[in-house]
Amino acid sequence: MVTGSYEGRQSHIPELKTPAIEVFENIYSRADYEIHFEIPEFTAICPKTGLPDFGTIYIDYIPDQWCLELKSLKEYFFFFRDIGIFHENVVNKVTEDLIACASPRFLKVRGDYNIRGGVKTVVEREYRRK
Amino acid sequence: MVTGSYEGRQSHIPELKTPAIEVFENIYSRADYEIHFEIPEFTAICPKTGLPDFGTIYIDYIPDQWCLELKSLKEYFFFFRDIGIFHENVVNKVTEDLIACASPRFLKVRGDYNIRGGVKTVVEREYRRK
Amino acid sequence: MVTGSYEGRQSHIPELKTPAIEVFENIYSRADYEIHFEIPEFTAICPKTGLPDFGTIYIDYIPDQWCLELKSLKEYFFFFRDIGIFHENVVNKVTEDLIACASPRFLKVRGDYNIRGGVKTVVEREYRRK
Amino acid sequence: MVTGSYEGRQSHIPELKTPAIEVFENIYSRADYEIHFEIPEFTAICPKTGLPDFGTIYIDYIPDQWCLELKSLKEYFFFFRDIGIFHENVVNKVTEDLIACASPRFLKVRGDYNIRGGVKTVVEREYRRK
Amino acid sequence: MVTGSYEGRQSHIPELKTPAIEVFENIYSRADYEIHFEIPEFTAICPKTGLPDFGTIYIDYIPDQWCLELKSLKEYFFFFRDIGIFHENVVNKVTEDLIACASPRFLKVRGDYNIRGGVKTVVEREYRRK
Amino acid sequence: MVTGSYEGRQSHIPELKTPAIEVFENIYSRADYEIHFEIPEFTAICPKTGLPDFGTIYIDYIPDQWCLELKSLKEYFFFFRDIGIFHENVVNKVTEDLIACASPRFLKVRGDYNIRGGVKTVVEREYRRK
Amino acid sequence: MVTGSYEGRQSHIPELKTPAIEVFENIYSRADYEIHFEIPEFTAICPKTGLPDFGTIYIDYIPDQWCLELKSLKEYFFFFRDIGIFHENVVNKVTEDLIACASPRFLKVRGDYNIRGGVKTVVEREYRRK
Amino acid sequence: MVTGSYEGRQSHIPELKTPAIEVFENIYSRADYEIHFEIPEFTAICPKTGLPDFGTIYIDYIPDQWCLELKSLKEYFFFFRDIGIFHENVVNKVTEDLIACASPRFLKVRGDYNIRGGVKTVVEREYRRK
Amino acid sequence: MVTGSYEGRQSHIPELKTPAIEVFENIYSRADYEIHFEIPEFTAICPKTGLPDFGTIYIDYIPDQWCLELKSLKEYFFFFRDIGIFHENVVNKVTEDLIACASPRFLKVRGDYNIRGGVKTVVEREYRRK
Amino acid sequence: MVTGSYEGRQSHIPELKTPAIEVFENIYSRADYEIHFEIPEFTAICPKTGLPDFGTIYIDYIPDQWCLELKSLKEYFFFFRDIGIFHENVVNKVTEDLIACASPRFLKVRGDYNIRGGVKTVVEREYRRK
């Protein structure tokens, strides 16, 4: 049984325009190496209850030509503070935005959310360039 | 040596009718990604002693067309509060109910129970769609 | 250099008669799933010093037709309270007794003993049915 | 979008002259074995803000003919105390300097930096001699 | 650049005579199983500074015909209390001594040393009988 | 501003009849000594939402003539499984029931509840006989 | 040396109108007992940088005639999500608002904020009715 | 309500003859100083169920003329391995035996028992010589 | 026996000119409340060896008319990065500088330094205005 | 019952000559402040078994005119590596040696020893100058 209204409220998410993330040149691009970020103060709005959600976003990536610039990445995440978005969609949206701006060789995004209604949720997506 | 009465008391479990779990459309179904839930306040009744059992249920799944809706999932687990059921059967029952309602690409269910009579029990089942 | 007396004192262990462990029918035997037990209050006697040894026994198994009944398993372990037996032999003895009574598809037994004479000992054996 | 000045400020890093790291003969070079170092008091300067960065450097390597001498390794890391260098470049620079001085069979360098502006960064590079 | 004196001071280590380690018969040698020891109070002398070093030695092995007897193993490690020996050489020396006395099917020796001069060192060697 | 209905729904709690707790004679009553219990599997019903609450109850007491019998204490706490009662009232009710049955010299009762709606609650009451 | 603008931007805080917190009757007011709340998802805006601050608010109080109602307390804290307010002022403002609405016998409010610019801040104020 | 049989089964405990604990002369008796022992492998028999109980005994004392000799203290505690005795009585019995043999200036005995039937128990008694 | 050179190298510390710490008006000065800061990335130079020292500085204070401004406090601590100063003197110097600039009602300064030469050092000074 | 030989073997400890501990002038002696040292690698010989003992020594003191110099303190503790001495006597000996060399206003010495024969021992002595 499907709750149609969910889908309706969130179907615009893949196209939602988010702030640009700056990149800088990877001067060691001849080698594969992994960069890991933890953003422990992520907050967005639950589209169902209107109440704030909190969590930590983890990013692992192997850069190709471009590295993610940290300050603009932070501003990118601040954008979600007033956005109504499900846990599952945050991780998918971030994954696709990071691929679009930095074309990494590998990327993994994990959203680890605080307990809500007695349930803890973690969502993780992994991407490997072919 | 088999204790026949056990089997007798639990053979109805696979067919036991449980509350429906709602699902919503997975708008990112073109990619594989993993969703993890922790339900730390699971309680049921030990069919042998009539005393309450306590534990945490962990669910990991890769959604296909449908995602599990959290609020109905919680209500699904509340249902067990007054049910006499062995640890092993909870995990198997939940696994088969979740497959039936959401047809995930991958599913793992783990029940991590509190110590009873000086013994701690964990049961885990994994399913991968062919 | 071999200390012959050790072997002598312990060569009867494989044939030592231990209390029967009850089993009950696995009503989900069509699937592979794993059951994990922790028995944190294991104690036996060191055959060399006569002093008590303490430790935790961990059991992981994939049941076939039979599941291990918890209460008789506990009584099985109480039996060792007055038995003089080396750490290595406890794990091997338990492994072979559990295979004999439940014919599992997979079994791992680990004995994690408290520090003795400034040394901590862990023994682990794994069995997979062919 | 690329911030050109970043690249400019850091393009000299691969050629930056660092203190020599002494090595000593590996008298067990006939076998592969792994050596792991943790240097928990690494500090350098952020080239963007001029403020100090802090972190822990982890090194894992399998020596070939030469082992890294610890005291000169420490002095090598002290050198960075006044150097403006990005997290990503520290790990790459160290990796290439260690390969040049000790020709290990395997090497992994990880920089685990303290949180900055609400974000934690870890960078890791692995090298395996062909 | 090599510090010749190091090599000189340590080249006798492979031949250094150490106390014998007793073994006893493995009455379950028909199966592979793993034995793990932790010796948390290892101490030796740093050959460079003459100051004591401290650490924990971890041993994992799969016995063949013989098991290591714990008391003589402890005395074997006490022997190093007054020996000047580098971290790397302790692990290699112990590995080769244990192979010589017990011919295990598998052996892993790890030395996890306390921080010295702001650096922590771990050395690990693994052996598998062909 | 007061929500009258709360008070209404809970004003019967002080007089609510609970299962008797057995006591046994304190054969060391000539001395003061403290007994501490932890009951980690407490569950009751939230009178506002009808959903289950979970928590741990801690009891510290100095017995006078009578000690609390553990098995009947457990049954006393099982009684709350289906009772609608606020966190604050559980602790006060338990305190007064224990004073009534065992007349301790000192008593402290603490209820440490799981997070609900993003808030964790702990309630504690202390009693000292004059 | 005083930065006058700080004071200017925050001098309105004591009079800032916040959402009402509901209370309910304390049916055990004849005894002193302590209630402790943890609100781990507090967020406000730094008035200096405009960036979000995160932290946990701890409340301990001994109720007199009124207890704090949890749901309205949560809404009270949500109010700060868009307010520019210093760490020190949050704790003082909350303290005085809670005294005004519930007249407790004792109250302690603590704000434990996440690290900012490499510094962690905790602010605590205690009140005892005379 | 009193369960008479408890009292009956345990009233002999205060007079139960236990192994002697040796003492040695305190050569620093002119000063007060505190000695703390932890005996983590205490086991006795539950007089009600006949099943083994496990726990840790903590002893703090300020010696006067005599110090407790460790080896005989251990043998003293081994004595309880086959004794049916309640948690409360172990602590009281040990306290009075230690006062009798060493006449300390101060003594505290704590028994911290493993969870039984979902309840953890700690018992503590303190003595100060007048 | 005194090492005169120590004293000589450090006797200028009490008069060493450090960067000014800004303060801002405490708008809640009518009440006592406590502010706690942790500065986990403190580093200075050991005056004896010339090597860097690392540690965490903890500050607790009750403000009177002025609160310490965080950004200038951080800059104050950066100043020590190139200063040769003993652990004991850092804590005393900071204490007296903070009293001079903010006249707090209470102040406690603790320096918790990383292990050096196998020894960990913590220094703490407390001040209470009369 | 006293084991005379103990006393005999240890009665020379109070007069045992230990290496001198250097002190340096306390330039902040006008204030009381506390210095804390942890020496985690203490080892001595058990006079009864001849086997090595290991532990951590903790020192807290308020200096008067003199501070303890760290390097000579370390050498002082190395001295015990080959000394047969009971746990209780180490703490008392160290206390009296430190009072003799630095005349502190306050001193606390704690020896926290590793488990031996299944028992952990901690000894602590406190001194306050009158």
Side-chain angles (χ1 to χ4, degrees):
Chain A
M1 178 180 16
V2 185
T3 312
S5 58
Y6 273 70
E7 168 200 5
R9 278 212 296 272
Q10 294 279 288
S11 59
H12 66 290
I13 293 291
E15 276 69 47
L16 182 71
K17 185 144 176 52
T18 43
I21 300 167
E22 288 185 38
V23 295
F24 63 93
E25 194 184 344
N26 174 13
I27 61 177
Y28 284 98
S29 67
R30 64 187 175 277
D32 272 6
Y33 66 95
E34 190 158 328
I35 301 171
H36 169 83
F37 295 133
E38 295 180 23
I39 298 103
E41 297 176 338
F42 179 81
T43 179
I45 299 296
C46 172
K48 213 172 166 186
T49 64
L51 294 176
D53 281 332
F54 292 84
T56 297
I57 305 291
Y58 299 85
I59 295 169
D60 286 281
Y61 78 106
I62 297 177
D64 187 25
Q65 295 306 310
W66 309 113
C67 289
L68 298 166
E69 196 274 329
L70 212 56
K71 195 156 171 289
S72 67
L73 191 70
K74 269 179 51 181
E75 277 155 19
Y76 168 81
F77 282 114
F78 289 165
F79 167 80
F80 290 93
R81 192 171 172 94
D82 297 319
I83 302 296
I85 183 166
F86 283 120
H87 295 348
E88 289 86 349
N89 292 342
V90 169
V91 166
N92 280 295
K93 175 73 177 166
V94 171
T95 302
E96 303 196 349
D97 285 352
L98 295 185
I99 293 170
C101 84
S103 300
R105 294 175 191 163
F106 168 82
L107 173 67
K108 186 164 63 178
V109 177
R110 183 153 61 103
D112 186 319
Y113 299 92
N114 290 5
I115 214 162
R116 272 295 166 279
V119 180
K120 177 171 180 48
T121 302
V122 183
V123 181
E124 183 176 298
R125 180 164 162 194
E126 197 176 302
Y127 159 86
R128 201 172 291 273
R129 207 166 71 187
K130 279 145 207 166
Chain B
M1 176 182 17
V2 185
T3 312
S5 59
Y6 273 69
E7 168 201 5
R9 279 213 296 271
Q10 295 279 287
S11 59
H12 66 290
I13 293 291
E15 276 68 47
L16 181 71
K17 185 144 176 51
T18 44
I21 300 167
E22 288 186 38
V23 295
F24 62 92
E25 194 184 346
N26 174 14
I27 61 177
Y28 284 97
S29 68
R30 65 188 174 277
D32 272 6
Y33 65 95
E34 191 158 327
I35 301 170
H36 170 83
F37 294 133
E38 294 180 24
I39 298 103
E41 297 175 337
F42 179 80
T43 179
I45 300 295
C46 172
K48 214 171 166 187
T49 64
L51 294 177
D53 281 331
F54 292 84
T56 297
I57 305 292
Y58 299 86
I59 294 169
D60 286 282
Y61 76 106
I62 297 177
D64 187 25
Q65 295 307 310
W66 308 114
C67 289
L68 298 165
E69 196 275 328
L70 212 56
K71 194 155 171 292
S72 67
L73 191 70
K74 269 180 50 181
E75 275 154 21
Y76 169 81
F77 282 113
F78 289 164
F79 167 79
F80 291 93
R81 191 171 173 95
D82 298 318
I83 301 297
I85 183 166
F86 283 120
H87 295 349
E88 289 87 349
N89 292 342
V90 169
V91 167
N92 281 295
K93 176 72 177 165
V94 170
T95 301
E96 304 197 347
D97 285 353
L98 295 185
I99 292 170
C101 84
S103 300
R105 295 174 191 164
F106 169 81
L107 172 68
K108 186 164 62 178
V109 176
R110 182 153 62 104
D112 186 321
Y113 299 92
N114 290 4
I115 214 163
R116 271 296 166 278
V119 181
K120 176 171 180 48
T121 303
V122 182
V123 181
E124 183 176 300
R125 179 165 164 194
E126 198 176 302
Y127 159 87
R128 201 173 290 273
R129 207 168 70 188
K130 280 144 206 166
Chain C
M1 178 182 16
V2 185
T3 313
S5 59
Y6 274 70
E7 168 200 4
R9 278 213 296 271
Q10 295 279 286
S11 59
H12 66 290
I13 292 292
E15 276 69 48
L16 181 71
K17 186 144 176 49
T18 43
I21 301 167
E22 288 185 39
V23 295
F24 62 93
E25 194 184 344
N26 174 14
I27 61 178
Y28 285 98
S29 68
R30 64 189 175 277
D32 273 5
Y33 65 96
E34 192 158 327
I35 301 171
H36 170 84
F37 294 133
E38 294 180 23
I39 298 103
E41 298 176 337
F42 179 80
T43 179
I45 300 295
C46 172
K48 215 173 166 186
T49 64
L51 295 176
D53 282 330
F54 292 84
T56 298
I57 305 292
Y58 298 87
I59 295 170
D60 286 281
Y61 77 106
I62 298 177
D64 188 25
Q65 294 308 308
W66 310 113
C67 290
L68 298 166
E69 196 274 327
L70 212 56
K71 193 155 173 291
S72 67
L73 191 69
K74 270 180 49 180
E75 276 155 20
Y76 169 81
F77 283 112
F78 289 164
F79 166 80
F80 291 92
R81 192 172 172 94
D82 298 318
I83 301 297
I85 183 166
F86 284 120
H87 295 348
E88 289 87 349
N89 292 342
V90 169
V91 167
N92 280 296
K93 176 72 177 166
V94 170
T95 301
E96 303 196 348
D97 285 353
L98 295 185
I99 293 170
C101 84
S103 301
R105 295 174 191 164
F106 168 82
L107 172 67
K108 186 165 64 178
V109 177
R110 182 153 62 104
D112 186 321
Y113 298 93
N114 290 5
I115 215 163
R116 270 298 165 277
V119 181
K120 177 171 180 48
T121 302
V122 182
V123 181
E124 184 175 298
R125 179 165 164 193
E126 199 175 300
Y127 159 87
R128 201 172 290 275
R129 206 168 71 188
K130 279 144 208 168
Chain D
M1 180 180 15
V2 185
T3 311
S5 58
Y6 273 69
E7 168 199 5
R9 278 212 297 271
Q10 296 279 288
S11 59
H12 65 290
I13 293 292
E15 276 68 47
L16 182 72
K17 186 146 176 49
T18 43
I21 301 167
E22 288 185 38
V23 295
F24 62 93
E25 194 184 344
N26 174 12
I27 61 178
Y28 284 98
S29 68
R30 64 187 175 278
D32 273 5
Y33 65 95
E34 190 159 328
I35 301 171
H36 169 84
F37 294 133
E38 295 179 24
I39 298 103
E41 297 176 338
F42 179 80
T43 180
I45 300 295
C46 172
K48 214 172 166 186
T49 64
L51 295 176
D53 282 331
F54 291 85
T56 298
I57 305 292
Y58 299 86
I59 295 169
D60 286 282
Y61 77 106
I62 298 177
D64 187 27
Q65 295 306 312
W66 308 112
C67 289
L68 298 165
E69 195 274 328
L70 213 55
K71 195 155 171 291
S72 67
L73 191 69
K74 268 180 53 182
E75 277 155 20
Y76 169 81
F77 282 112
F78 289 164
F79 167 79
F80 291 92
R81 191 172 172 94
D82 297 319
I83 301 297
I85 184 166
F86 283 121
H87 294 349
E88 289 86 349
N89 292 342
V90 168
V91 166
N92 280 296
K93 175 73 177 164
V94 170
T95 302
E96 303 196 349
D97 285 353
L98 296 185
I99 293 171
C101 84
S103 300
R105 294 176 190 162
F106 168 82
L107 172 67
K108 186 164 64 177
V109 176
R110 182 153 62 103
D112 186 321
Y113 299 92
N114 290 4
I115 214 162
R116 272 295 166 277
V119 180
K120 177 173 181 45
T121 303
V122 182
V123 181
E124 183 175 298
R125 180 163 162 195
E126 199 176 301
Y127 158 87
R128 200 172 291 273
R129 207 166 71 188
K130 277 143 208 168
Chain E
M1 180 181 15
V2 186
T3 312
S5 59
Y6 274 69
E7 169 199 2
R9 278 213 296 271
Q10 295 280 286
S11 60
H12 65 290
I13 293 291
E15 276 68 47
L16 181 72
K17 185 143 177 52
T18 43
I21 301 166
E22 287 185 39
V23 295
F24 63 93
E25 194 184 344
N26 174 13
I27 61 177
Y28 285 97
S29 67
R30 65 187 174 277
D32 273 5
Y33 65 95
E34 191 159 325
I35 301 171
H36 169 84
F37 294 134
E38 295 179 24
I39 298 103
E41 297 176 337
F42 178 81
T43 180
I45 300 295
C46 172
K48 215 173 166 185
T49 63
L51 295 176
D53 282 330
F54 291 84
T56 298
I57 304 292
Y58 298 87
I59 295 170
D60 286 282
Y61 78 106
I62 298 177
D64 187 26
Q65 295 307 309
W66 309 112
C67 291
L68 298 166
E69 195 274 327
L70 212 55
K71 194 155 172 291
S72 67
L73 190 69
K74 269 182 50 182
E75 276 154 21
Y76 169 80
F77 282 112
F78 290 164
F79 167 79
F80 291 92
R81 191 172 173 94
D82 297 318
I83 302 297
I85 183 166
F86 283 121
H87 294 349
E88 289 87 348
N89 292 342
V90 169
V91 167
N92 280 296
K93 175 73 176 166
V94 170
T95 301
E96 303 196 350
D97 285 353
L98 296 185
I99 293 171
C101 84
S103 300
R105 294 173 191 165
F106 168 82
L107 172 67
K108 186 164 63 178
V109 176
R110 182 152 62 103
D112 185 322
Y113 298 93
N114 291 4
I115 214 162
R116 270 297 166 277
V119 181
K120 177 172 181 48
T121 302
V122 182
V123 181
E124 184 175 299
R125 179 165 163 193
E126 199 176 301
Y127 159 87
R128 202 172 290 275
R129 207 167 70 188
K130 279 143 208 167
Chain F
M1 178 180 15
V2 185
T3 312
S5 59
Y6 273 68
E7 169 200 4
R9 279 212 296 271
Q10 295 279 288
S11 60
H12 66 290
I13 293 292
E15 277 68 47
L16 181 71
K17 183 142 178 51
T18 43
I21 301 167
E22 287 185 39
V23 295
F24 62 94
E25 194 185 344
N26 174 13
I27 61 177
Y28 285 97
S29 68
R30 65 187 174 277
D32 273 5
Y33 65 96
E34 192 158 326
I35 301 171
H36 169 84
F37 294 133
E38 295 179 23
I39 298 102
E41 297 176 338
F42 179 80
T43 179
I45 300 295
C46 172
K48 213 173 167 187
T49 64
L51 295 176
D53 282 331
F54 292 83
T56 297
I57 305 292
Y58 298 87
I59 295 170
D60 285 282
Y61 77 106
I62 298 177
D64 186 28
Q65 294 307 309
W66 309 112
C67 289
L68 298 166
E69 194 274 328
L70 212 55
K71 194 155 171 292
S72 68
L73 191 69
K74 268 181 52 181
E75 276 155 19
Y76 168 81
F77 282 113
F78 290 163
F79 167 79
F80 290 92
R81 191 173 173 93
D82 297 318
I83 301 296
I85 184 166
F86 283 120
H87 294 348
E88 289 87 349
N89 292 342
V90 169
V91 167
N92 281 296
K93 175 74 178 165
V94 170
T95 302
E96 303 197 348
D97 285 352
L98 295 185
I99 292 170
C101 84
S103 300
R105 294 173 192 166
F106 168 82
L107 172 67
K108 186 164 65 179
V109 176
R110 182 151 62 103
D112 186 320
Y113 299 93
N114 290 5
I115 214 163
R116 270 297 166 277
V119 181
K120 177 170 180 50
T121 301
V122 182
V123 181
E124 184 175 298
R125 180 165 164 193
E126 199 176 300
Y127 159 87
R128 202 172 290 274
R129 206 167 70 188
K130 278 145 209 168
Chain G
M1 180 181 13
V2 186
T3 310
S5 60
Y6 273 70
E7 170 200 4
R9 280 213 296 272
Q10 295 279 288
S11 59
H12 65 290
I13 293 292
E15 277 67 47
L16 182 71
K17 184 142 178 51
T18 44
I21 301 167
E22 288 186 36
V23 296
F24 62 93
E25 194 184 345
N26 174 14
I27 61 178
Y28 284 98
S29 67
R30 65 187 174 278
D32 273 5
Y33 65 96
E34 191 159 326
I35 301 170
H36 169 84
F37 294 133
E38 294 179 24
I39 298 103
E41 297 175 338
F42 179 80
T43 180
I45 300 295
C46 172
K48 214 171 166 188
T49 64
L51 295 176
D53 281 331
F54 291 84
T56 298
I57 305 292
Y58 298 86
I59 295 169
D60 285 282
Y61 77 105
I62 298 178
D64 186 27
Q65 295 306 309
W66 308 112
C67 290
L68 299 165
E69 195 274 328
L70 212 56
K71 196 157 170 290
S72 67
L73 191 69
K74 268 180 52 181
E75 276 155 19
Y76 169 81
F77 282 113
F78 289 163
F79 167 79
F80 291 93
R81 191 172 172 94
D82 297 319
I83 302 296
I85 183 165
F86 283 121
H87 293 350
E88 289 88 348
N89 292 343
V90 168
V91 167
N92 280 296
K93 175 74 178 166
V94 170
T95 302
E96 303 196 349
D97 285 352
L98 296 185
I99 293 170
C101 85
S103 300
R105 294 174 191 164
F106 168 81
L107 173 67
K108 186 164 65 179
V109 177
R110 183 152 62 102
D112 186 320
Y113 299 93
N114 290 5
I115 214 164
R116 269 298 165 277
V119 181
K120 177 172 179 47
T121 302
V122 183
V123 181
E124 184 175 299
R125 179 164 164 194
E126 199 176 301
Y127 158 87
R128 200 171 291 274
R129 207 167 70 188
K130 279 146 207 167
Chain H
M1 177 181 14
V2 186
T3 312
S5 58
Y6 274 69
E7 169 200 5
R9 278 213 296 272
Q10 295 280 287
S11 59
H12 65 291
I13 293 292
E15 277 68 47
L16 182 71
K17 186 145 175 52
T18 44
I21 301 166
E22 288 185 38
V23 295
F24 62 94
E25 194 185 345
N26 175 13
I27 61 178
Y28 285 96
S29 68
R30 64 187 176 277
D32 273 6
Y33 65 95
E34 192 158 327
I35 301 171
H36 170 83
F37 294 133
E38 294 180 23
I39 298 102
E41 297 176 337
F42 179 80
T43 179
I45 300 295
C46 171
K48 213 172 167 188
T49 64
L51 295 176
D53 282 330
F54 292 84
T56 298
I57 304 292
Y58 299 87
I59 296 170
D60 286 282
Y61 77 105
I62 298 177
D64 187 25
Q65 295 306 310
W66 309 113
C67 289
L68 298 165
E69 196 274 327
L70 212 56
K71 194 155 172 291
S72 67
L73 191 69
K74 268 181 50 182
E75 276 154 20
Y76 169 81
F77 282 112
F78 289 164
F79 166 80
F80 291 92
R81 191 173 173 93
D82 297 319
I83 301 297
I85 183 166
F86 284 120
H87 295 347
E88 289 87 350
N89 292 342
V90 169
V91 167
N92 280 295
K93 176 72 178 165
V94 170
T95 301
E96 303 197 348
D97 285 353
L98 295 185
I99 292 170
C101 83
S103 300
R105 295 173 192 167
F106 168 82
L107 172 68
K108 187 165 64 179
V109 177
R110 183 153 62 103
D112 186 319
Y113 298 93
N114 290 4
I115 214 163
R116 269 299 164 276
V119 181
K120 177 171 179 48
T121 302
V122 183
V123 181
E124 184 176 297
R125 181 166 163 193
E126 199 176 301
Y127 158 87
R128 202 173 290 274
R129 206 168 71 188
K130 279 144 207 166
Chain I
M1 181 181 10
V2 185
T3 311
S5 59
Y6 273 71
E7 170 199 3
R9 279 213 296 273
Q10 295 279 286
S11 59
H12 66 290
I13 294 291
E15 276 69 45
L16 181 72
K17 185 142 177 54
T18 44
I21 300 167
E22 288 186 37
V23 296
F24 62 93
E25 194 185 345
N26 174 14
I27 61 178
Y28 285 98
S29 67
R30 66 188 174 276
D32 273 5
Y33 65 95
E34 191 159 326
I35 301 171
H36 169 83
F37 294 133
E38 295 180 24
I39 298 102
E41 296 176 338
F42 179 80
T43 180
I45 300 296
C46 172
K48 214 173 167 188
T49 63
L51 295 177
D53 281 331
F54 291 84
T56 297
I57 305 292
Y58 299 87
I59 296 170
D60 285 282
Y61 77 107
I62 297 178
D64 187 26
Q65 295 306 310
W66 308 113
C67 289
L68 298 166
E69 196 274 328
L70 212 56
K71 195 156 171 292
S72 67
L73 191 69
K74 268 180 51 182
E75 276 154 20
Y76 169 80
F77 281 113
F78 289 164
F79 167 79
F80 291 93
R81 192 172 173 93
D82 297 318
I83 302 296
I85 184 166
F86 283 121
H87 295 349
E88 289 86 349
N89 292 343
V90 169
V91 167
N92 281 296
K93 174 73 177 166
V94 170
T95 302
E96 303 197 349
D97 285 353
L98 295 185
I99 293 170
C101 84
S103 299
R105 294 174 189 163
F106 168 81
L107 172 67
K108 186 165 63 178
V109 177
R110 182 153 62 103
D112 186 319
Y113 299 92
N114 290 4
I115 214 163
R116 271 297 165 277
V119 180
K120 178 173 179 45
T121 302
V122 182
V123 181
E124 184 176 298
R125 179 164 164 194
E126 198 177 301
Y127 159 86
R128 201 173 290 273
R129 206 167 71 187
K130 279 145 206 166
Chain J
M1 179 182 12
V2 186
T3 311
S5 58
Y6 273 70
E7 169 200 3
R9 279 212 296 272
Q10 295 279 288
S11 60
H12 65 291
I13 293 291
E15 276 69 46
L16 181 71
K17 185 143 176 54
T18 44
I21 300 167
E22 288 187 37
V23 294
F24 62 93
E25 194 184 344
N26 174 14
I27 61 177
Y28 285 96
S29 67
R30 64 187 176 275
D32 273 6
Y33 65 95
E34 190 158 328
I35 301 170
H36 169 84
F37 294 133
E38 295 180 24
I39 298 103
E41 296 176 338
F42 179 80
T43 179
I45 299 296
C46 172
K48 215 173 167 186
T49 64
L51 294 176
D53 281 331
F54 291 84
T56 297
I57 304 292
Y58 298 87
I59 295 170
D60 286 283
Y61 78 105
I62 297 177
D64 187 24
Q65 295 306 310
W66 308 113
C67 289
L68 298 166
E69 196 273 329
L70 213 55
K71 194 154 172 292
S72 67
L73 191 69
K74 269 181 49 183
E75 276 155 21
Y76 169 81
F77 282 113
F78 288 164
F79 167 80
F80 291 92
R81 192 171 172 94
D82 297 318
I83 302 296
I85 183 166
F86 283 121
H87 295 348
E88 289 87 349
N89 292 343
V90 169
V91 167
N92 280 296
K93 176 72 177 164
V94 170
T95 302
E96 304 197 347
D97 285 352
L98 295 185
I99 292 170
C101 84
S103 301
R105 295 174 190 163
F106 168 82
L107 172 68
K108 186 164 64 179
V109 176
R110 183 153 61 103
D112 186 320
Y113 299 92
N114 291 4
I115 214 163
R116 271 295 167 279
V119 181
K120 177 172 179 47
T121 303
V122 182
V123 181
E124 183 176 297
R125 180 165 164 194
E126 198 177 300
Y127 159 86
R128 201 174 291 273
R129 206 168 70 187
K130 279 144 207 166

